[in-house]
Amino acid sequence: MLEKIREGSQGGAAKIILGAVILSFALSGIYSYLGSNGQVNAVTVNGEDITRYDLDKALQNEQGRLRQQMGEMFDTLSADANWMASVRQSVLERMIAERLIDQKAKDLGLRVSDEQIKQAIVAMPEFQQDGVFNNDRYQAVLRQVNMTPDQLATMIGRDMVRNQLLRTLLGSEIVTTEQALSLVSLQQQQRDFRYLTIAKADFEADVAITDEQIQAFYDKNLDRFATAEQVSLEYVELTVEQLMKDVQASDAAVQAYYDGHQNLYQKPERRLAAHILIEGDDDAAKAKADDALARIRGGESFAEVAKAVSDDFSADNGGELDWFEQGVMDPEFDQALFGQDKGQVSEVLKTDYGYQIVLTKDVETGAVAPLDEVRGDIETAVKSEQAQDRFYELQQLLADVSFQVPENLEDAAMEVGGEVKSTELFNRFNAPAPFNDPKVLNAAFSDAVVLDNMNSDIIELESGHVLVVRAKDYKPAGTQPLAEVRDQIQAQLVAEQASAQAKIAAEAKLAELKSGTELDGMVAVDAMGRMGNAEVDGQLVQQVFAMAKPAGDSSYAALQMSSGDYAVVALDKVSAGDADTQVAENLKLRMASMMGQGSYQALVAALRANADISYPVAE
């Protein structure tokens, strides 16, 4: 067949047709190049374009933020196309809001100077080294994020102008001390009340549920008994860790690795340090340090002088500290210790701790660690390298055979020396590890696996860990049969009817209470705050604080709890809380911030209502 196609393509007519096709592609390509700047728009805001490239960059940044915030949960959620679409839409909406704010700032004539932008960049900690702007670091960071200095300056300038408008907006909200004190007083309010609990459990024994009621409830609430699709898998797993168990590191391989990687086993030079520390930074401290150095230069023992004058704990040990590698200590100390020979004493050093004199007591030169000392590490490295090489060979073999023989995994397992394992049924939300990885879930529930009954493509979970899966059993989404949920439905219907009877009883008790009858068993609660306590149901406390303040002696209500129980309540007294001035001042800041955020949202909504926002029409 292929030969006939080749022969046919050599004919004159075929060449003309082929030439026409090539020409059409060429012309369409040229037209695309000339007719477009390559930037496809995501949205146009008052004539200004937000390109899909800009949107994709912002989406990548948002995904990075969410991944850092949510951890592994992000990978699970990101496998849901609808969730990712909502994230993309929220990013686009934020970009539209920012563009509207930028346009409003421009209309208001807000601007920043080049010098202000320059100072802002210089002050950025990302470009500083030891607290000072470092141009090399600045250039390196820009290269790393693929940004030019002009692009950075434009971005910083836009943010500064935007912040001018936002600071004006957010700083315009005023919260008075009286408002804050009033809110603090309300938060600290206390209430005295009495209550009687009418438990639904007291009525459950009298409730009878018929088969017809159960069937009717089931038919009306089928969506509540929906089941997610489930799959059980057969799989072949390949890991470097498993392969390492079958690898042996020969003496020759260990020696060769050691000879070729001696830089990894180089022991750094170490020096034994002693010092004299004179605390303080005044002339007296300097004079004391100079006198100590003169005594040492004059022939006195460093240790004796240290014991006599040093302010450091090491004085009792003749000033001796410990062995140090280069770069461990402060720069001045480190330079002195490693800048002189064994037995030499430094000049007086001015450091953050005072004045110091450093003695290099001993030197241990760097050397390569003996093979026997590092053999264990080398054997692990050799095994890892060999296992990695074998892993990549088997990974390719697994991919080839599972693709060539898609109707089973036995052949692939035999080729790679593995075994076919299996799982129990699971759905997307209760999959065991490692099958809860989004990549595995997407493959496990794909049409090719569950409908066509084929092997999946090879799935890389992480470096050195791959899987191939196929469906062993598959149950599509459906509805639990009535027999499975009958007891559950009956229990709910009993609870609902018992709660309804509790309500009737509560309303009767409420009528008695309002008529002046004191109910037996009522519990009195005095000076209860909004936060409640462990002795009173939290939901009851919330509902009590939602009741109106008594106009006369008391106010009354029958309140339903989330449990289905009822409480008959008499609210007797409402006491204003103490309005702490300091708490009120702190609250003012939070209230102003919340009001400012509300103003910002209102501004964006107003700008959007009057904006010309258009989305490209897909061709």
Side-chain angles (χ1 to χ4, degrees):
M1 177 64 72
L2 289 175
E3 186 62 31
K4 290 183 179 179
I5 293 174
R6 294 193 190 98
E7 291 174 358
S9 67
Q10 303 303 314
K15 290 182 179 179
I16 293 174
I17 294 172
L18 183 62
V21 172
I22 294 174
L23 180 61
S24 68
F25 277 115
L27 290 176
S28 64
I30 292 172
Y31 174 79
S32 176
Y33 177 78
L34 294 176
S36 172
N37 61 4
Q39 296 286 343
V40 182
N41 290 336
V43 65
T44 302
V45 182
N46 292 327
E48 294 185 12
D49 297 331
I50 296 176
T51 68
R52 291 187 184 174
Y53 173 75
D54 293 333
L55 174 59
D56 288 342
K57 283 202 306 181
L59 181 60
Q60 288 176 2
N61 293 336
E62 180 67 5
Q63 288 174 325
R65 185 188 69 81
L66 291 174
R67 182 175 286 106
Q68 184 176 15
Q69 175 182 331
M70 304 171 67
E72 295 181 358
M73 179 59 71
F74 173 79
D75 293 329
T76 301
L77 292 173
S78 63
D80 184 343
N82 292 328
W83 187 81
M84 285 304 300
S86 69
V87 172
R88 183 183 181 88
Q89 185 62 33
S90 68
V91 171
L92 180 59
E93 293 300 320
R94 185 172 68 240
M95 295 179 73
I96 292 173
E98 290 173 348
R99 186 60 57 91
L100 291 169
I101 291 294
D102 292 343
Q103 292 171 352
K104 183 63 176 178
K106 183 178 180 180
D107 292 342
L108 294 174
L110 301 179
R111 64 179 64 87
V112 293
S113 67
D114 292 342
E115 183 61 26
Q116 287 176 297
I117 296 174
K118 177 182 176 181
Q119 292 302 319
I121 293 174
V122 169
M124 292 176 67
E126 293 85 352
F127 305 138
Q128 294 183 357
Q129 189 169 347
D130 298 328
V132 179
F133 177 79
N134 183 284
N135 188 65
D136 291 338
R137 183 176 179 85
Y138 165 71
Q139 297 292 342
V141 171
L142 288 184
R143 286 194 298 271
Q144 184 178 359
V145 298
N146 194 28
M147 182 179 289
T148 67
D150 288 343
Q151 289 173 330
L152 175 65
T154 300
M155 182 184 73
I156 296 296
R158 183 175 61 245
D159 287 345
M160 292 177 69
V161 170
R162 185 183 300 157
N163 287 335
Q164 283 186 18
L165 176 59
L166 295 182
R167 282 197 302 270
T168 301
L169 181 67
L170 299 179
S172 64
E173 302 295 347
I174 298 176
V175 179
T176 66
T177 301
E178 288 72 17
Q179 288 175 309
L181 287 171
S182 176
L183 183 56
V184 171
S185 177
L186 190 61
Q187 290 175 339
Q188 300 298 323
Q189 186 185 92
Q190 294 181 333
R191 297 194 167 198
D192 298 350
F193 62 95
R194 293 164 290 143
Y195 73 96
L196 175 66
T197 301
I198 310 296
K200 75 176 190 302
D202 295 340
F203 303 90
E204 290 178 350
D206 299 327
V207 176
I209 303 298
T210 66
D211 291 341
E212 290 75 12
Q213 288 175 305
I214 294 175
Q215 183 68 54
F217 184 92
Y218 178 78
D219 293 339
K220 186 178 180 180
N221 298 277
L222 286 176
D223 57 320
R224 294 177 56 176
F225 308 110
T227 59
E229 59 178 341
Q230 294 179 293
V231 68
S232 64
L233 298 175
E234 291 180 337
Y235 65 98
V236 177
E237 186 174 22
L238 196 62
T239 68
V240 170
E241 183 179 1
Q242 184 63 36
L243 293 174
M244 281 185 65
K245 297 177 181 179
D246 300 325
V247 174
Q248 299 297 323
S250 65
D251 291 341
V254 170
Q255 184 67 55
Y257 190 94
Y258 176 74
D259 294 340
H261 299 82
Q262 292 202 358
N263 62 305
L264 300 178
Y265 308 107
Q266 182 79 27
K267 288 184 174 181
E269 178 183 317
R270 300 195 309 162
R271 297 197 170 199
L272 180 60
H275 81 142
I276 295 172
L277 171 64
I278 307 300
E279 295 179 344
D281 58 1
D282 53 14
D283 292 342
K286 178 64 165 60
K288 186 177 179 180
D290 289 338
D291 180 66
L293 180 60
R295 291 170 59 182
I296 296 169
R297 299 280 194 240
E300 288 191 51
S301 163
F302 187 95
E304 292 302 322
V305 176
K307 289 179 181 179
V309 303
S310 180
D311 295 325
D312 190 57
F313 69 91
S314 62
D316 294 339
N317 197 31
E320 183 175 311
L321 292 172
D322 202 347
W323 290 91
F324 298 107
E325 296 175 7
Q326 192 164 11
V328 173
M329 301 298 285
D330 290 336
E332 299 89 351
F333 190 102
D334 191 76
Q335 184 176 358
L337 180 62
F338 285 87
Q340 58 194 19
D341 296 332
K342 176 181 177 179
Q344 283 191 312
V345 177
S346 73
E347 297 296 329
V348 174
L349 309 175
K350 179 66 174 71
T351 70
D352 293 338
Y353 304 100
Y355 291 96
Q356 289 179 281
I357 303 169
V358 179
L359 165 65
T360 303
K361 287 194 68 173
D362 202 355
V363 176
E364 186 181 88
T365 58
V368 178
L371 175 58
D372 290 341
E373 189 175 310
V374 295
R375 177 178 291 275
D377 293 339
I378 294 178
E379 287 179 348
T380 300
V382 169
K383 288 181 179 181
S384 178
E385 284 189 355
Q386 294 180 7
Q388 287 279 0
D389 293 341
R390 182 60 176 157
F391 173 80
Y392 291 125
E393 293 175 5
L394 295 179
Q395 178 182 351
Q396 187 60 52
L397 187 60
L398 177 62
D400 292 342
V401 178
S402 60
F403 175 77
Q404 294 165 1
V405 187
E407 65 272 10
N408 69 70
L409 282 175
E410 283 75 12
D411 290 5
M414 186 180 301
E415 288 292 336
V416 300
E419 61 176 314
V420 179
K421 302 177 183 179
S422 62
T423 72
E424 299 295 329
L425 282 167
F426 62 84
N427 59 44
R428 288 181 179 270
F429 309 103
N430 67 355
F435 307 99
N436 56 352
D437 185 287
K439 296 186 289 293
V440 181
L441 290 175
N442 288 339
F445 289 94
S446 66
D447 290 346
V449 170
V450 299
L451 298 182
D452 299 335
N453 202 30
M454 297 177 64
N455 297 334
S456 72
D457 294 333
I458 199 161
I459 306 165
E460 184 176 8
L461 294 175
E462 57 186 352
S463 179
H465 188 185
V466 297
L467 290 172
V468 174
V469 304
R470 67 177 291 104
K472 178 183 177 183
D473 188 16
Y474 174 69
K475 291 186 177 181
T479 304
Q480 290 177 279
L482 176 59
E484 289 185 7
V485 297
R486 180 184 180 84
D487 292 344
Q488 173 187 337
I489 294 174
Q490 182 171 5
Q492 180 168 341
L493 291 176
V494 167
E496 289 177 355
Q497 293 194 23
S499 182
Q501 293 186 28
K503 178 181 180 181
I504 295 173
E507 290 174 344
K509 292 291 184 181
L510 178 63
E512 291 182 35
L513 189 62
K514 287 182 176 179
S515 68
T517 302
E518 184 66 25
L519 302 179
D520 293 335
M522 290 197 78
V523 179
V525 179
D526 295 329
M528 173 65 73
R530 290 180 180 273
M531 300 304 294
N533 59 36
E535 298 176 358
V536 182
D537 184 283
Q539 188 183 25
L540 174 59
V541 174
Q542 291 180 13
Q543 295 201 57
V544 167
F545 272 87
M547 292 175 62
K549 184 177 180 179
D553 293 336
S554 300
S555 61
Y556 308 97
L559 307 176
Q560 184 180 20
M561 306 292 100
S562 59
S563 62
D565 296 339
Y566 276 79
V568 180
V569 177
L571 176 59
D572 299 322
K573 181 181 178 182
V574 175
S575 303
D578 295 331
D580 186 278
T581 304
Q582 183 58 50
V583 174
E585 289 301 317
N586 295 335
L587 184 61
K588 284 171 62 176
L589 299 176
R590 296 199 299 272
M591 292 175 65
S593 176
M594 292 172 59
M595 293 171 65
Q597 291 296 329
S599 298
Y600 170 76
Q601 297 296 337
L603 173 61
V604 171
L607 294 175
R608 183 162 189 143
N610 297 307
D612 179 12
I613 301 174
S614 60
Y615 299 85
V617 179
E619 297 182 356

